[in-house]
Amino acid sequence: MSESASAVPSRTTSLLESTPKPVPSDPIPSSSPAFATPANPIPPPPPPSKRTAPSVLSISLPPATLRPLAFRTFTKKHNLTLTSSALQLLAAFIGKHCGSGWREEGLAEKVLEEIAKAWKSKGGGVIVDGDSDHLKSILHSLQGFISGGRLMQQGSLSRQGSFQRQPSFNFGDSLVSDSSEASSNRRFDLSRETSRSSIGGFASHLDEANEDNGKKDIRRWMTVIGAFEQPRLVYNVPMKHFEKASSAPSLMPDPSHKTLLFRNRYNLIHQRLLRMESFQVPTVAPPRNHSLQRSASTMSTPQHAYKLTPIANLLGRNGSTHLLLGLLAFTPVGSLALMDLTGTIVLDLQHARPVPENGAWFTPGMIVLVDGIYEEENSGAGHTLGGAGGVGGTIPGKFIGFSVGGPPCERRELTLGISITDNEQKSNASTGFGWVDFLGVGSERSSGTTMRRLEKTVVGRASTSGMGEGRGRILIMGQVNIDSAKTLQALKRVLGTYVSGPAEEIPALFVLFGSFVQHAAMAQSGSGGSIEYKENFNALASVLTEYPTILRAASFVFVPGDNDPWASAWSAGSATPLPRRGVPELFTSRIKRAFTTANAEGRNSKDEDLGGEAIWTTNPARVSLFGTTHEIVLFRDDMSGRLRRNAIDFEALDSKGPEEGDDRGREIHETQDMDIDEAVKSAESCVPATKAKDTSSSGLSFDTLTARKLIKTILDQGYLSPFPLPTRPVLWDYAGALQLYPLPTALVLADPEAPPFAMGYEGCHVMNPGRFVAEGKRGIAKWVEYDISIKRGKVKELAF
């Protein structure tokens, strides 16, 4: 007992007074016995084996078998049209990744649904082309989300606090591996999928602009598009939409492309007229007045329901009144005729009146509306198509015209399907060509709303105190002859006025129009050869280097004229083919060096604005601001003089009124006394001005009337060169760059023969800077300053 009793305290003492053990090297202590866990850590379990994706037996799926399902998904559900190449590409993709269960298990329908959504979010057009990079990138990105022929579920994303319906997959730049960081950010990226994928890098700056608006440069969202870079689109009449040209462009195309040039112009204007309510005949139509009247392109009245008659349908309808749409041209015998896609008819405009009176020019090469009576010729021959005067032959007889007018132009909002409510512009999918990417910067439906919101963020503070302040301005100078010392002196004076203020008020863009020399370069004229031409630009570079602040803060765009090389070497200053390329880089090295030096000197500054640059673009060219929000067309041409030389002369109206025995005069008098809606009388399409009124008694200056006449002529035609090809040559395959459809937000017609002006017409602001150094006045420089925020320009003068 004693031994055992004495043993117990010793055991207790040994338990309580245990010797301290060294601290283990493992920072994680072993578990206590109180938790019934072993003292030694349990070895970690082996890593789980990767779950193998279920295999899919690929099949060869014929495109014809997939066609019904693809038609139901793309065409009926998403209003898209598949080409044969796209259908073949989709059939190969479905057969490879969905296998034999593509139809029975419904695998293909879900995949096609995601492809259609991604196509529309990327800003693709109505036509899904298999050769496009958009479709190939979508299919390549979608491969990572297909497992066993099924789309991987994204339920975790939908439960992360997002209550908005978002696309299941992101096909933008945020397509990364399945890391935790990517998963946490994917919901935010999906919300911006549409804007980013459709316009490249534009929308990626949206959040940065919201965080720090003041430091952002408007030029980040500015793109200069040359005529040879613009997408070549052709209007498909049966399908009623635009599609890309099938053939590759060439400077020496097939002769049939010359016919397609005029056919495309006619189809574009024809569909534009048929979309107007004035040319949509109601079911129960009142008696129609056959004379053309002034009417707005956006309005219609019960009195007006015009119906176009093809020229071929005039056969056998002697003495009937018709409204024709056709191209003015001369027949081989020198008679004035009207042509359309069905035939040709000789015109008799002896008693015709222009509509509006003295409000536009009408020259051969224009597409016009002619209202009159068809008169058959007195011959015993049968009335059949014959001759070779037109596409379908010459109609016997003649068409006696009473009224001649241009096709009314269509506002940009109607063309793109933009509805204006409460001073806000919103896209409307039911009308217009909102899904068409006319410039390659994204379509209106895909990026228009985002870009307008971004514009308010970036430009909204630029002109808060009125026009003429802030970065949101464009300086436009026309006919800058740098071989004249007087021009360089004026340029110094103008640049000095803008550099005197703070850097935040320097305009973002300077546009200089040629011709940059007074005589044709390298044509044995007064301007000399290539060495003298390069020295002129060296002198311009010396002037620009005196203003490094402007060179670092602005971009300079140079648009050539007819006297600039290389075209001037063989044209000797005459009209060169349009479009034409910019000034060769051989002559511009010194100016580029001036911008490089100015940007290098400003690198030590902490501002994050972009450096300046010199852009040598084509003629014509386009400037895109914030995607489809702003489209500014730059065009240099002596247009007003060419219109005066080739215009059709109409007989002047007799101030005493029509004679009693003149039936035609009685008809004109009765037509002018008709009751017309007040909305049509005050329509903006009558005269390019803020208020439509009779120019004969308005008391306006001759320069203002000439400007209105020029604006209405060009915008109604919707084409920058409405002349015969011998008068103004055009490259057949690049004629689409001359189209003004949809109507741009601003048009710069640099015509030194016309007076400087800045006025609006049907929502398009048209400007002409005239000559930079005015003729006949000593020391006067003129230019136009365009404010982006209010979409208005102003002619400015400065003495030097």
Side-chain angles (χ1 to χ4, degrees), residues 691-763:
K691 295 182 180 180
K693 52 187 176 181
D694 189 7
T695 58
S696 61
S697 59
S698 60
L700 298 177
S701 63
F702 176 78
D703 292 347
T704 302
L705 297 179
T706 302
R708 289 181 173 184
K709 200 171 182 180
L710 176 63
I711 292 173
K712 180 173 177 58
T713 301
I714 299 303
L715 294 190
D716 283 354
Q717 290 296 313
Y719 195 67
L720 290 175
S721 181
F723 304 101
L725 292 182
T727 304
R728 186 51 159 164
V730 174
L731 300 179
W732 303 342
D733 282 359
Y734 295 97
L738 306 179
Q739 293 285 355
L740 295 178
Y741 191 81
L743 211 62
T745 54
L747 170 63
V748 181
L749 286 176
D751 187 357
E753 298 182 1
F757 60 82
M759 59 182 64
Y761 175 58
E762 289 290 357

Side-chain angles (χ1 to χ4, degrees), residues 67 143 163 499 555 701:
R67 187 188 303 273
Q143 293 179 3
F163 296 94
V499 78
S555 297
S701 63

